[in-house]
Amino acid sequence: MHVIATAGHVDHGKSTLVRALTGMEPDRWAEERRRGMTIDLGFAWTGLPSGETVAFVDVPGHERFVGTMLAGVGPVPAVMFVVAADEGWMPQSTEHLDALAALGAGHGLLVITRSDLMEPELARDEAREHLAGTPLADMKAVCVSGATGAGLDELRAALDELVARLPAPDPDADVRLWVDRAFTIRGAGTVVTGTLAGGRIAVDDELLLEPGGRRVGVRGLQSLGESVPAATGVARVAVNLRGLPRQTVGRGDVLVTPGRWLTTDVVDVRLHAGAEPAGELPEQLSLHIGAAAVPVRARPLGSGGRPHGDTARLTLRTALPLRVGDRALLRDPGRHRITAGLTVLDVRPPPLARRGAAARRAAVLNGMTGGPDAVGEVARRGLVRAAELAAMGALDARELDRDARVVRAGDWLLDREHAVALADRLLASVAAHDAADPLDPGLPLGAARRLLDLPETRLVEALLDLPPAAGQLVSRDGRVRRASDDPADALPAALRAALAEVRAGLEVDRFAAPDANRLAELGLGPKQLATLVRAGELTKITDGVYLLPGAEHAAAEVLTGLGDREFTLSEARQALGTSRRVAVPLLERLARLGLTRRTPDGNHRLTH
């Protein structure tokens, strides 16, 4: 299926033309038929000579209904621009053309209607003059009469040529269906309609309704009046939503694929095809995109190196699911004119908090095209999730895979230059920490994460593979440490001397743990002892009792000499040749390690 919107001045025969092509009545309301004027969107469809199907979104032409017209043409890929032969170009012809030019519409067909009332060539040539310089300047022209049927066969052939040139939609695209109509069917519930530009919707799918992020289920689906199990864009669809009250949805709302879109109420944009340069942009405007119309506050950002400036920041009253590259337009509802078209450049822009920030931001935006630029986005942000880039519309996986400027860490992407700077800070921070507290070498991973303002500790570990940290730092025991074959090499000389004294005593009598007085005499307080335990030089049995590493298994080996029987604390103390101060916590530790167990009598027994 292909979808085409009408455009043109009021009473130039748009609805008559659609009626003649399709045999269907696009005006749905009795008032429209009574007044002979379209006031809401109408829908009709027909087959073409090639076998293709084309659906029409018929829009009102009166100046009071420009907002409705924009809701109809916004999501549609092509336009049938109508000018009456007996009236020629009119004011709303200009406003509709301004809107289409602002939206970047480049596919269309010029149709001169009422050719039975006046020679159509004059109106055709006049229209060509107005179309000059716009994206629709070269569209084919066809002269017809809806009343007599003259030229309709030629128009059908021209429509076939037009739809054959339209870009193929992406069937795997993330769904974004702008709602242009919502109503209730007795026994079915709420139904919404819209133009599905790409992607696929199927019965029983779960979608998000924005604004608000409400999860809704697809109860039923119709396309061109027929129930279907699924629909793939481009298509006109009617979606029956499960459990959704009618009053909670209306024109301008949007159904999206869950987890694949970012809603935003602040965007940076490039302006084009407008009546004023950005510096003269009114502050209060209406943003039209898809079928939505949202009040916005506009702030020009400066020239960015251009003569008049063409970038601005928009603050939306209602958050919308937008992506980089989206086309939209700004309209001044007070002056009833199209102010500018725009391309979305950034849906997650940084705050403008400091003096001169707007001009600096304009300079950055000057280098952005509105196309997918994953490497550029990573560079600008320093750090971003791949999924967030995809939701922005900026992800190009192939580009990322072959570009050495991007560092991957799980689902995170880091700009290499930024990552190297962080690795340099990490190296300096570890050195400063160790110099300030040599008894506690190594920076805890959590502290390193906070210091570098990173969201996850795995990003800290990723920095260890980058210069200058590579080969200099390692992650060990939950800390970032200086790389060393022997962790004890980092111990201060005085601490190494005290350790040697303790080791000498324990090598002579391995269960004769030095008492508090001896430890104090050697200068070994709680902090120094904790350092030696972390370095693997001593084993802490309990507070104040320290033995050599492996003391537990050595004690179990000694206790095997008591035979395969129960033994008392006193017997264990004598076998180990130590004091009760050491024997009690040592036996408790052996039990925790599963080397011994307590008997019902309160004695001890080896487990092997």
Side-chain angles (χ1 to χ4, degrees):
M1 184 196 309
H2 303 276
V3 182
I4 296 176
T6 63
H9 192 77
V10 62
D11 199 30
H12 273 207
K14 296 185 295 296
S15 298
T16 300
L17 182 60
V18 171
R19 199 177 297 117
L21 284 169
T22 67
M24 302 174 68
E25 176 56 67
D27 289 335
R28 297 180 289 111
W29 306 111
E31 183 182 358
E32 293 179 302
R33 294 190 287 273
R34 178 178 59 79
R35 297 171 61 183
M37 181 178 73
T38 300
I39 60 177
D40 202 354
L41 301 178
F43 311 102
W45 56 89
T46 189
L48 296 176
S50 65
E52 295 284 350
T53 298
V54 61
F56 295 98
V57 179
D58 188 31
V59 306
H62 197 282
E63 64 177 348
R64 285 167 34 210
F65 306 116
V66 170
T68 303
M69 173 265 179
L70 294 173
V73 302
V76 175
V79 63
M80 188 165 64
F81 202 103
V82 176
V83 178
D86 58 332
E87 290 193 358
W89 197 265
M90 297 291 282
Q92 290 311 115
S93 304
T94 297
E95 184 160 23
H96 283 204
L97 178 60
D98 288 344
L100 294 167
L103 291 170
H107 301 280
L109 189 62
L110 174 63
V111 182
I112 308 299
T113 58
R114 300 182 188 170
S115 295
D116 56 313
L117 300 180
M118 184 174 287
E119 291 298 322
E121 287 77 12
L122 291 176
R124 182 195 63 195
D125 294 343
E126 181 186 23
R128 288 285 188 209
E129 292 177 4
H130 286 278
L131 291 168
T134 74
L136 296 172
D138 298 326
M139 63 180 173
K140 185 174 182 176
V142 180
C143 302
V144 303
S145 169
T148 68
L152 287 181
D153 288 342
E154 183 181 357
L155 176 56
R156 291 188 178 94
L159 287 169
D160 251 335
E161 294 176 10
L162 172 62
V163 300
R165 295 194 303 270
L166 295 178
D170 181 3
D172 299 320
D174 301 325
V175 168
R176 180 172 61 174
L177 178 72
W178 297 99
V179 174
D180 53 36
R181 186 182 173 213
F183 52 93
T184 300
I185 295 179
R186 185 182 298 274
T190 301
V191 176
V192 300
T193 68
T195 299
L196 181 62
R200 181 177 184 271
I201 297 178
V203 173
D204 294 329
D205 276 357
E206 189 175 71
L207 300 171
L208 288 186
L209 178 65
E210 299 289 359
R214 179 170 181 164
R215 286 187 175 267
V216 294
V218 178
R219 179 179 181 180
L221 195 64
Q222 282 195 353
S223 184
L224 305 186
E226 299 289 336
S227 294
V228 293
T232 303
V234 174
R236 283 294 305 175
V237 294
V239 188
N240 183 196
L241 298 174
R242 184 179 292 111
L244 184 70
R246 164 64 187 89
Q247 63 270 22
T248 61
V249 60
R251 177 174 292 166
D253 291 343
V254 56
L255 293 171
V256 297
T257 305
R260 302 305 298 270
W261 292 86
L262 295 177
T263 57
T264 179
D265 59 2
V266 179
V267 294
D268 285 347
V269 302
R270 172 159 294 123
L271 305 173
H272 47 77
E276 302 96 354
E280 301 173 13
L281 199 65
E283 183 179 5
Q284 302 298 327
L285 293 165
S286 181
L287 172 72
H288 293 263
I289 182 168
V294 175
V296 300
R297 185 175 73 254
R299 175 183 178 179
L301 292 178
S303 68
R306 297 172 186 264
H308 299 293
D310 64 353
T311 56
R313 172 157 296 183
L314 305 181
T315 302
L316 287 62
R317 183 178 296 177
T318 303
L320 293 175
L322 302 179
R323 282 187 173 172
V324 172
D326 277 344
R327 292 296 298 260
L329 65 82
L330 295 172
R331 186 169 183 264
D332 187 339
R335 294 192 293 168
H336 304 289
R337 66 185 297 180
I338 304 298
T339 302
L342 62 88
T343 299
V344 175
L345 299 179
D346 195 341
V347 297
R348 282 290 189 270
L352 302 176
R354 297 184 179 180
R355 184 179 181 88
R360 290 191 295 272
R361 180 61 177 163
V364 172
L365 296 173
N366 190 38
M368 299 169 66
T369 66
D373 180 19
V375 174
E377 286 295 334
V378 175
R380 282 185 286 272
R381 298 172 191 280
L383 172 69
V384 65
R385 286 186 185 274
E388 187 172 6
L389 273 189
M392 291 178 188
L395 182 64
D396 184 336
R398 291 173 299 179
E399 178 189 8
L400 288 174
D401 288 340
R402 62 174 178 259
D403 201 301
R405 291 173 292 175
V406 176
V407 177
R408 285 186 177 269
D411 60 341
W412 289 98
L413 305 171
L414 295 95
D415 173 64
R416 183 171 292 275
E417 184 175 338
H418 177 61
V420 167
L422 290 177
D424 186 54
R425 284 179 57 194
L426 182 60
L427 184 64
S429 298
V430 171
H433 174 274
D434 289 358
D437 192 354
L439 297 182
D440 187 27
L443 195 60
L445 280 168
R449 180 191 66 77
R450 292 188 294 272
L451 181 70
L452 301 177
D453 195 24
L454 293 172
E456 294 184 14
T457 55
R458 62 175 165 173
L459 292 167
V460 177
E461 294 174 326
L463 301 177
L464 303 181
D465 295 327
L466 299 174
Q472 301 297 314
L473 298 177
V474 295
S475 175
R476 187 171 60 237
D477 302 326
R479 289 174 170 253
V480 180
R481 304 176 183 273
R482 290 178 291 183
S484 172
D485 292 334
D486 184 359
D489 290 346
L491 297 176
L495 189 57
R496 287 200 300 272
L499 172 62
E501 290 286 335
V502 172
R503 291 184 68 95
L506 290 174
E507 285 169 357
V508 173
D509 192 349
R510 54 186 170 180
F511 302 113
D515 60 19
N517 291 333
R518 178 56 175 161
L519 292 174
E521 181 183 315
L522 294 172
L524 296 177
K527 193 170 185 178
Q528 289 79 9
L529 289 166
T531 298
L532 293 174
V533 170
R534 282 196 303 271
E537 298 298 326
L538 294 177
T539 293
K540 180 180 179 180
I541 304 302
T542 191
D543 289 342
V545 178
Y546 293 86
L547 299 174
L548 293 178
E552 301 96 330
H553 291 279
E557 183 67 25
V558 169
L559 294 175
T560 59
L562 297 177
D564 186 16
R565 64 177 180 84
E566 294 183 23
F567 54 86
T568 65
L569 169 63
S570 178
E571 290 174 319
R573 180 186 63 75
Q574 294 178 38
L576 295 171
T578 189
S579 65
R580 182 181 177 87
R581 176 181 70 89
V582 175
V584 170
L586 182 54
L587 285 174
E588 290 174 350
R589 186 170 179 82
L590 292 179
R592 287 195 300 272
L593 293 174
L595 298 175
T596 65
R597 61 180 175 81
R598 295 298 295 268
T599 68
D601 295 332
N603 295 322
H604 305 268
R605 190 184 189 105
L606 291 170
T607 58
H608 60 280

